[in-house]
Amino acid sequence: PPVPLRLTFKNSFTQMLVMINNRPVEVADDVTTLAQLLEREGCAGPGQAVAVGETVVPRTRWGATPLKEGMKIIVIRAVCGG
């Protein structure tokens, strides 16, 4: 008898899921570093501080920080005021 064909489709647009400020964010295949993700999410402007897990990541290291499935990212925005 013929063997049933089982097809499995992978979403080619989503590589992984990360959390930014406790919000799930699907990451596209072409986004591989923290810098790329923050830029795409509009979080890379001046006055931003970023922590991965419980460790602050200096802006100079954002481009060298690879994304990982389930990564927990906290973005803090500095606000001036009185």
Side-chain angles (χ1 to χ4, degrees), residues 57-75:
V57 180
R59 183 180 291 268
T60 56
R61 299 291 307 153
W62 291 2
T65 303
L67 297 178
K68 297 177 183 160
E69 178 71 34
M71 182 179 269
K72 293 180 180 170
I73 302 162
I74 302 294
V75 179

Side-chain angles (χ1 to χ4, degrees), residues 3-8:
V3 176
L5 180 62
R6 184 175 185 172
L7 298 176
T8 304

